[in-house]
Amino acid sequence: MQYWIRRRLLAVVYVQIWPHRLRAIHCSTGKVFDEMPLIALRDDGKKGKVIVALGDSAHTQDAEALDIVNPFSHPRTIIAEPYGAEKVIRHCFNTLRKYRLFVSPYAVVVHPMEKNEGGLTEVEKAALDELFVKSGARETLIYEGDELSPDTLHYPSLFKEVNKDKASDVAQGRKVAGTLAALLGLYAVALVAFFWVAG
């Protein structure tokens, strides 16, 4: 019950990920973040590499003096470098909440727009989930399908729809476990009765 209520109180953010673009929409306020997922790094000697700029502002930096990195650019997968990806997503969340006095926790619908041919693997889904939770999301939903409309996105219904197969598998597993337990119980009773009669 508490999870059902919580999903209706969470501020929902719809995030679309491309290798060279990150777009996020706060479904309640309509505020949009739409930038290149870049990080500009400067080598500070003993301190190591320091972040100078994030997002579109990193693109305008001097590429010869700095390292410009895209943590979402990889030939095979959607996440190339988790630490950098986390910094970009935090930048995204901070931009969305910039002018809010009260910050509601986010439920984030994560929608990879590329590198998802044949469906995401469970490893990729787990990596995305961990990445967004570390970046500040209270709850994540990894979505695969047609592009959603933030105006009509109803998070509790979408959560139920995306997780229906998982819930069905759990219910089926419980049913099988219950049947096995009943059969073992009958076997135990029969065994006791046998030894009681034989003895």
Side-chain angles (χ1 to χ4, degrees), residues 5-180:
I5 294 172
R6 192 180 75 185
R7 287 189 186 108
R8 280 156 175 76
L9 297 176
L10 290 172
V12 179
V13 174
Y14 176 46
V15 178
Q16 295 169 292
I17 305 173
W18 291 266
H20 300 287
R21 180 185 178 197
L22 184 70
R23 183 171 186 257
I25 305 172
H26 194 298
C27 295
S28 299
T29 66
K31 191 176 290 187
V32 178
F33 174 94
D34 195 345
E35 297 187 16
M36 291 179 281
L38 299 175
I39 303 175
L41 299 167
R42 181 181 66 232
D43 194 337
D44 249 11
K46 290 184 179 179
K47 292 182 180 178
K49 293 189 176 182
V50 177
I51 296 175
V52 176
L54 292 159
D56 284 349
S57 61
H59 181 64
T60 62
Q61 302 294 317
D62 183 1
E64 292 185 5
L66 303 170
D67 288 332
I68 310 298
V69 178
N70 181 344
F72 291 97
S73 180
H74 190 277
R76 292 192 308 275
T77 184
I78 196 69
I79 303 172
E81 203 277 293
Y83 176 78
E86 181 184 335
K87 295 298 181 185
V88 171
I89 294 167
R90 282 185 180 275
H91 169 60
C92 165
F93 287 167
N94 288 337
T95 302
L96 291 178
R97 68 166 63 104
K98 189 172 182 180
Y99 300 108
R100 291 172 61 84
L101 296 176
F102 175 73
V103 179
S104 301
Y106 290 149
V108 182
V109 178
V110 183
H111 191 181
M113 306 302 288
E114 295 181 18
K115 307 284 177 70
N116 54 3
E117 295 80 6
L120 298 174
T121 66
E122 292 304 315
V123 173
E124 288 172 317
K125 290 178 183 178
L128 284 167
D129 181 73
E130 182 180 2
L131 172 62
F132 276 84
V133 168
K134 279 186 174 181
S135 301
R138 175 66 62 84
E139 184 171 288
T140 62
L141 180 64
I142 312 303
Y143 171 76
E144 299 175 82
D146 295 333
E147 185 171 355
L148 298 170
S149 168
D151 297 331
T152 58
L153 194 159
H154 185 251
Y155 184 72
S157 299
L158 185 64
F159 186 93
K160 187 176 180 181
E161 177 67 22
V162 169
N163 289 286
K164 68 180 179 181
D165 291 336
K166 189 181 294 184
S168 176
D169 289 344
V170 171
Q172 184 65 26
R174 287 176 178 167
K175 185 176 179 181
V176 171
T179 302
L180 287 174

